[in-house]
Amino acid sequence: MATADERGNGIHIGSVRGAFAIGDHNTVTHYEGGSAPADPVQEELLRAVRALRDDLSRAVESPQITALSGELAETETEIADTGAAGPGRLARLRTALADAGAVVGLLASGAAVTQAVAALVGG
């Protein structure tokens, strides 16, 4: 809270949510994470990624499973933060799915992620 100046002007701020600026020549940029995927295919990918991450937590660790788990985590974060997984992320996820194919092929959640990625990248 500010005190009044000699003209009786002052600023009182009760509460703020988001971003604001006071004074001349200010620029404010405000980002709030957690935007929901606008594309139903991205939304389905997010659900499938979460299910596969859960299933893989019970799998025997291997370098391929570790790499896939990391890509799944990064994909989940990217979709949750931006609303979509970009082409580069989808390519890396597709490679990690192929590398861990023996385990992924046994899991329904693995098939769901593979199908969602294929729908987004075409093939």
Side-chain angles (χ1 to χ4, degrees):
M1 183 165 33
T3 59
D5 63 15
E6 61 272 358
R7 296 177 305 221
N9 296 327
I11 299 172
H12 171 69
I13 301 172
S15 65
V16 174
R17 182 175 189 276
F20 68 96
I22 299 172
D24 296 332
H25 312 293
N26 288 310
T27 301
V28 175
T29 304
H30 177 72
Y31 298 100
E32 286 198 32
S35 61
D39 181 355
V41 178
Q42 292 279 349
E43 191 173 334
E44 179 57 34
L45 175 60
L46 181 59
R47 280 193 297 272
V49 161
R50 288 175 174 159
L52 182 53
R53 284 188 72 199
D54 186 51
D55 287 345
L56 287 179
S57 70
R58 294 181 293 277
V60 175
E61 281 294 315
S62 71
Q64 295 82 10
I65 297 300
T66 301
L68 177 57
S69 294
E71 284 301 328
L72 290 168
E74 294 286 329
T75 302
E76 182 177 356
T77 298
E78 187 170 322
I79 296 171
D81 288 350
T82 68
R89 173 71 53 213
L90 293 171
R92 289 187 296 277
L93 179 57
R94 185 179 233 181
T95 299
L97 286 164
D99 291 347
V103 173
V104 171
L106 297 173
L107 302 169
S109 58
V113 172
T114 302
Q115 289 171 351
V117 169
L120 287 166
V121 297

